[in-house]
Amino acid sequence: MATGIQEIQAWTEQEYKYGFETPIETEALPPGLNEDVIREISRRKREPEFLLEWRLKAYRHWLTMEEPRWANVKYPPIDYQSIVYFAAPKGWKKGPKSLDEIDPELLRTYQKLGIPLDEQERLAGVAVDAVFDSVSVATTLQEQLSKLGIIFCSFSEAAEKYPELVERYLGSVVPYTDNFFAALNSAVFSDGSFCYVPKGVRCPVELSTYFRINARNTGQFERTLIIADEGAYVSYLEGCTAPIRDSNQLHAAVVELVAHDYATIKYSTVQNWYPGDRQGRGGIYNFVTKRGKCLGKYSKISWTQLETGSAITWKYPSCLLIGEGSVGEFYSVAVTNNYQQADTGTKMIHIGRNTRSTIVSKGISAGHGQNSYRGMVKILKSAEGARNFSQCDSMLLGNQCGAHTFPYLEVKNPTARVEHEASVSRIGEEQIFYCRQRGLSTEDAVSMIVSGFTRQVLQELPMEFAVEAQRLLSVSLEGSVG
Amino acid sequence: MLEIRNLHAKAGDKSILRGVNLKVCAGEVHAIMGPNGSGKSTLAQVIAGRDLYEVTEGEVLFEGKNLLELSPEERAREGIFLAFQYPVEIPGVSNLYFLRTALNAVRKHRGLEELDVVDFMELVKQRVKLLGMNEALLERPVNEGFSGGEKKRNEILQMAVLEPRLAILDETDSGLDIDALKAVAAGINAMRSPERAIVVVTHYQRLLEYVEPDFVHVMAEGRIVRSGDKELARELERQGYSWLEEEEALAGESRT
Ligand SMILES: Nc1ncnc2c1ncn2[C@@H]1O[C@H](COP(=O)(O)OP(=O)(O)OP(=O)(O)O)[C@@H](O)[C@H]1O
Ligand SMILES: [Mg+2]
């Protein structure tokens, strides 16, 4: 019986389009981790003393920790001594540079990835920080932004130029003691983006960072810190890809967001790390800690993510809702195909009065993919009048994949209102047949059904990326039907 | 236009169609009646190409082509339309978008240009009016949260927009209030044309008062056991199916 299941299975035959390798010489530290490696990373990045101290403290703490195993994902033990913790294109020098100082091979790489860095071809209305392995290779539109007082640069640059901001906010949302991977990141983090939007400024362009892992056996440990001061607004997007390799690579990032009174941060992710091949060989382990602090009253942090890549994803972009009336949002589409595994979701911690949160999670599983939603809504005693709405929907394509939901709820204030809805649907042979009876091909039918399913989330993405996201979504599921 | 010869089909191990013969010519309206579970929907779905059902014997020709060799979408593009007994919901996809995608798929196959949004809207609005439909349904996701009657009317709207050569309407009249029934009937009648054939599957004489069939067939246990004109439908309305079954049984006995 070919009731769509075989067709759906066949639909997973799409190749990863970003799997090429850039032929560029890298300068890397030898694999392994110890205090000397950390000192060397810090030295190469010409970091201020406090940062090195902080890294070492994190490292010492990490040594006392155990790798978490509670997530609903399976993978062999990671040998942390076999990973390279710092890799940079040869001749890389820190600091802003003009485009003609950048290796043309790098420019070509970003061009190929659809992120042209040069003046004429750049995406309109988007500033890009390009991070290649452990370093930022270019940041665009910096000058224009600085006229508004907006700082947008690589983390390393920020550590050197704005040490007081970095020292004040680094670890203030995700302390290095938070969890195993956050501690590891704090010890060895390489590059990432830093953004500060001053009081009352609305950032006029989308800020974005494009992360690329190129070097072999290298971990990427980026660190991103975004601060929106009183009344500020910023929308930020990160994109990620990596070449095809048959060994797994570790990506353990930390992202911290801080929103002051009346400030809004919109953080979007289009994660398309190499997912591994059809047999489940290779792919990125994406173990990420993302958290935002709504520190000020009526501040707002909104996470939107489209997770299509990685062999394993372990991430829970969360919000600490401290300021009165502050708002946290989480919109997520996670796709697992072939042997991909995702354990993702969010935590909304309501601390202030009248805080509100919305969670919309859409999981799509195809092939042998396993997709777990794990979400926590915690309403503390102080959170008088807090409200949460959660909706978690899963869609299964085929019958060898799985969807799981783990909602945790803790309500300590009786005036709080919490609503939770969940659904699981199998993309029906019925639905596909209905569309085909109206003249659509199977591929078009599935992509229409999936785009309908994910619409509520994708419409939260910045306009400039919505089309790309839609395309990525159908590509990552293409070939699993018909 | 459509010719079905000795069609047998099964789902899993269950044989459902056991030798259906039917000929439908352009310009005709046929009604298929018959008790629950007799195989009416199965027949409709097999014609449309649902691969849940395996054809084990017989043939289906559409304009001389072997229909059984075509995929469901090819059949649809060739002009076969099935109004589903249970229309399917597609959450998040707007009815309009769905309709336009479908129409353009069919037009492309016919060598026509895609309709742009303006022309398309004009066409749809005109059809919506014809059916007395609520325009608000166009913006809503396909069938999601539609009432039973709204779903049925939406099927007719799709038919009216796609303009098929052969339309099979599977119990499109069930669950309609009297005004909706009249509107659906008007929609069907508006589609009647010398180039088009319409097959309505129904349990009720009521629809046939508005949509006058040229032929009425009765299905039982996977076969068409009686064919006639609209008088046959009236008779069924009066007497139910039991007299047919008795006759069948007698005929069966005389066969042995
Ligand atoms: N996919 C299937 N698997 C197993 N049995 C099926 C399947 N589809 C239909 N059947 C069975 O075949 C028989 C005919 O079903 P069908 O839906 O064609 O009847 P119908 O004449 O349309 O009935 P109704 O008037 O109730 O709509 C029924 O006994 C039904 O249970
Ligand atoms: Mg039926």
Side-chain angles (χ1 to χ4, degrees):
Chain A
M1 204 165 54
T3 55
I5 287 166
Q6 283 164 2
E7 300 173 311
I8 285 164
Q9 230 91 80
W11 210 47
T12 49
E13 322 274 289
Q14 179 70 28
E15 299 302 333
Y16 183 69
K17 293 204 173 115
Y18 309 92
F20 64 90
E21 182 172 352
T22 304
I24 198 168
E25 254 188 276
T26 45
E27 280 176 304
L29 291 178
L33 182 55
N34 53 48
E35 294 203 2
D36 288 342
V37 167
I38 292 167
R39 284 177 212 283
E40 183 58 22
I41 293 173
S42 189
R43 193 189 63 80
R44 290 195 186 196
K45 295 165 88 70
R46 297 191 313 242
E47 287 179 350
E49 188 56 29
F50 81 89
L51 206 47
L52 174 61
E53 282 313 310
W54 194 73
R55 285 175 181 278
L56 290 171
K57 273 192 278 181
Y59 174 67
R60 287 165 202 149
H61 186 77
W62 179 72
L63 289 175
T64 69
M65 298 175 93
E66 292 224 15
E67 198 173 323
R69 282 290 171 185
W70 46 262
N72 190 24
V73 295
K74 292 193 191 77
Y75 58 95
I78 297 172
D79 176 5
Y80 291 93
Q81 293 306 333
S82 71
I83 295 174
V84 173
Y85 289 87
F86 186 88
K90 195 167 177 185
W92 170 80
K93 281 195 308 291
K94 199 177 131 181
K97 37 212 140 320
S98 70
L99 284 172
D100 31 292
E101 283 176 71
I102 301 174
D103 188 326
E105 202 55 62
L106 279 175
L107 292 179
R108 258 198 299 282
T109 298
Y110 284 91
Q111 183 88 35
K112 243 164 127 177
L113 295 169
I115 320 286
L117 297 174
D118 56 76
E119 213 66 59
Q120 304 88 33
E121 292 174 60
R122 251 181 235 161
L123 292 170
V126 182
V128 181
D129 183 21
V131 176
F132 192 86
D133 291 329
S134 308
V135 296
S136 164
V137 292
T139 311
T140 65
L141 291 185
Q142 269 180 312
E143 252 169 73
Q144 288 95 310
L145 290 171
S146 71
K147 287 195 188 113
L148 295 166
I150 297 170
I151 303 169
F152 180 50
C153 62
S154 72
F155 202 97
S156 325
E157 195 182 330
E160 197 176 347
K161 288 197 187 154
Y162 316 100
E164 57 311 321
L165 280 176
V166 171
E167 189 165 12
R168 177 166 162 207
Y169 289 105
L170 179 68
S172 72
V173 187
V174 182
Y176 61 75
T177 50
D178 193 80
N179 70 70
F180 183 84
F181 294 109
L184 176 62
N185 173 286
S186 304
V188 301
F189 71 86
S190 31
D191 228 333
S193 301
F194 176 87
C195 171
Y196 172 82
V197 185
K199 231 180 197 172
V201 172
R202 189 184 166 89
C203 182
V205 295
E206 297 288 334
L207 302 185
S208 80
T209 306
Y210 197 90
F211 293 99
R212 175 80 176 164
I213 300 180
N214 190 62
R216 216 167 263 280
N217 304 325
T218 301
Q220 195 178 52
F221 304 92
E222 94 244 9
R223 186 110 197 168
T224 294
L225 178 52
I226 299 175
I227 301 133
D229 218 325
E230 222 177 291
Y233 170 92
V234 61
S235 171
Y236 172 93
L237 179 125
E238 60 170 346
C240 337
T241 57
I244 294 174
R245 308 218 184 277
D246 21 339
S247 56
N248 298 103
Q249 276 176 287
L250 179 63
H251 172 258
V254 172
V255 174
E256 299 178 277
L257 313 181
V258 180
H260 290 281
D261 290 357
Y262 304 101
T264 295
I265 302 176
K266 196 171 158 51
Y267 191 105
S268 313
T269 304
V270 175
Q271 186 266 108
N272 188 26
W273 293 120
Y274 176 54
D277 68 10
R278 256 175 268 160
Q279 280 70 44
R281 277 186 306 251
I284 302 289
Y285 291 164
N286 189 35
F287 300 154
V288 172
T289 307
K290 289 185 167 166
R291 195 173 302 153
K293 208 180 205 175
C294 282
L295 202 53
K297 52 182 184 254
Y298 301 100
S299 56
K300 175 173 172 181
I301 290 180
S302 181
W303 299 100
T304 305
Q305 58 175 24
L306 170 60
E307 303 280 319
T308 58
S310 298
I312 301 179
T313 295
W314 178 98
K315 91 182 233 205
Y316 316 90
S318 303
C319 296
L320 296 169
L321 303 169
I322 299 166
E324 176 179 348
S326 59
V327 176
E329 294 174 340
F330 174 74
Y331 297 95
S332 168
V333 171
V335 180
T336 52
N337 199 348
N338 297 320
Y339 285 87
Q340 282 177 278
Q341 309 171 59
D343 193 304
T344 182
T346 184
K347 281 190 273 187
M348 293 290 174
I349 315 291
H350 292 255
I351 301 164
R353 291 162 56 91
N354 298 323
T355 45
R356 285 183 288 137
S357 63
T358 303
I359 300 172
V360 178
S361 157
K362 305 273 180 177
I364 301 173
S365 321
H368 296 263
Q370 293 296 326
N371 214 322
S372 301
Y373 167 79
R374 191 181 301 276
M376 174 186 264
V377 176
K378 199 169 179 172
I379 296 183
L380 302 193
K381 215 156 170 215
S382 50
E384 189 78 16
R387 277 192 284 156
N388 160 267
F389 171 76
S390 307
Q391 183 189 339
C392 310
D393 300 320
S394 316
M395 179 176 268
L396 302 172
L397 289 94
N399 54 3
Q400 284 166 301
C401 47
H404 317 269
T405 15
F406 305 98
Y408 305 91
L409 181 63
E410 213 181 297
V411 181
K412 296 266 171 63
N413 187 306
T415 64
R417 283 220 320 266
V418 176
E419 279 174 75
H420 182 92
E421 287 174 11
S423 78
V424 181
S425 53
R426 200 169 280 281
I427 198 170
E429 178 267 341
E430 233 187 353
Q431 282 177 322
I432 295 177
F433 180 68
Y434 188 70
C435 296
R436 293 177 78 190
Q437 209 304 302
R438 298 299 184 252
L440 276 66
S441 68
T442 308
E443 292 260 302
D444 289 347
V446 173
S447 114
M448 183 184 273
I449 295 165
V450 167
S451 84
F453 178 70
T454 55
R455 199 165 99 154
Q456 213 183 341
V457 171
L458 297 193
Q459 72 192 10
E460 295 293 327
L461 283 177
M463 272 258 287
E464 288 84 346
F465 300 96
V467 177
E468 171 66 10
Q470 194 69 57
R471 200 190 56 78
L472 181 60
L473 188 62
S474 34
V475 165
S476 55
L477 286 170
E478 215 170 86
S480 51
V481 181
Chain B
M1 172 178 274
L2 177 74
E3 193 164 355
I4 300 173
R5 294 194 199 120
N6 190 31
L7 183 66
H8 287 69
K10 59 177 193 179
D13 291 337
K14 186 179 161 63
S15 86
I16 305 172
L17 301 182
R18 309 176 207 196
V20 176
N21 290 293
L22 180 67
K23 199 171 159 188
V24 178
C25 297
E28 294 174 353
V29 174
H30 290 241
I32 298 180
M33 306 184 80
N36 294 134
S38 56
K40 303 180 298 296
S41 295
T42 304
L43 176 61
Q45 303 253 345
V46 168
I47 296 171
R50 184 91 179 245
D51 59 9
L52 266 168
Y53 302 103
E54 188 194 338
V55 173
T56 52
E57 222 184 306
E59 52 185 355
V60 182
L61 300 175
F62 180 65
E63 322 250 71
K65 276 183 221 161
N66 179 0
L67 206 55
L68 300 179
E69 277 177 356
L70 302 183
S71 68
E73 58 269 35
E74 285 165 336
R75 298 181 202 201
R77 294 171 195 163
E78 285 289 326
I80 291 180
F81 178 89
L82 172 62
F84 285 60
Q85 183 173 0
Y86 305 107
V88 179
E89 302 187 356
I90 311 179
V93 176
S94 93
N95 216 8
L96 262 184
Y97 179 71
F98 179 70
L99 206 49
R100 194 156 77 91
T101 312
L103 179 62
N104 283 332
V106 172
R107 285 180 67 93
K108 196 170 157 204
H109 182 75
R110 294 181 190 163
L112 299 170
E113 297 232 325
E114 295 202 347
L115 271 196
D116 63 29
V117 179
V118 177
D119 292 343
F120 172 73
M121 282 311 295
E122 206 168 298
L123 174 72
V124 171
K125 291 230 162 112
Q126 193 259 325
R127 298 297 198 269
V128 162
K129 204 179 271 165
L130 177 77
L131 293 170
M133 250 176 90
N134 177 0
E135 249 184 56
L137 293 181
L138 292 173
E139 307 289 342
R140 297 216 340 230
V142 181
N143 292 324
E144 197 184 25
F146 285 25
S147 75
E150 286 168 342
K151 285 184 183 171
K152 300 286 171 124
R153 252 197 252 204
N154 198 34
E155 295 290 287
I156 295 296
L157 171 68
Q158 293 181 17
M159 172 180 76
V161 169
L162 296 175
E163 303 186 312
R165 313 232 30 225
L166 169 68
I168 303 167
L169 312 178
D170 192 357
E171 293 201 25
T172 305
D173 58 334
S174 344
L176 295 184
D177 67 40
I178 192 71
D179 291 337
L181 182 73
K182 282 184 187 163
V184 162
I188 299 173
N189 283 329
M191 293 293 289
R192 282 183 95 145
S193 103
E195 283 87 53
R196 181 174 293 127
I198 299 174
V199 176
V200 295
V201 174
T202 180
H203 285 294
Y204 306 107
Q205 164 62 18
R206 222 175 34 160
L207 175 73
L208 304 180
E209 298 290 339
Y210 300 106
V211 179
E212 250 188 64
D214 301 300
F215 299 94
V216 174
H217 311 276
V218 180
M219 238 181 130
E221 294 180 13
R223 256 184 241 124
I224 290 180
V225 295
R226 181 71 63 106
S227 298
D229 60 12
K230 58 188 185 225
E231 266 315 305
L232 177 57
R234 296 217 175 102
E235 194 145 350
L236 291 171
E237 180 87 349
R238 281 197 299 274
Q239 306 200 30
Y241 294 110
S242 51
W243 62 281
L244 266 180
E245 276 160 23
E246 277 159 28
E247 276 189 21
E248 265 289 284
L250 281 175
E253 263 168 38
S254 65
R255 270 201 294 269
T256 46

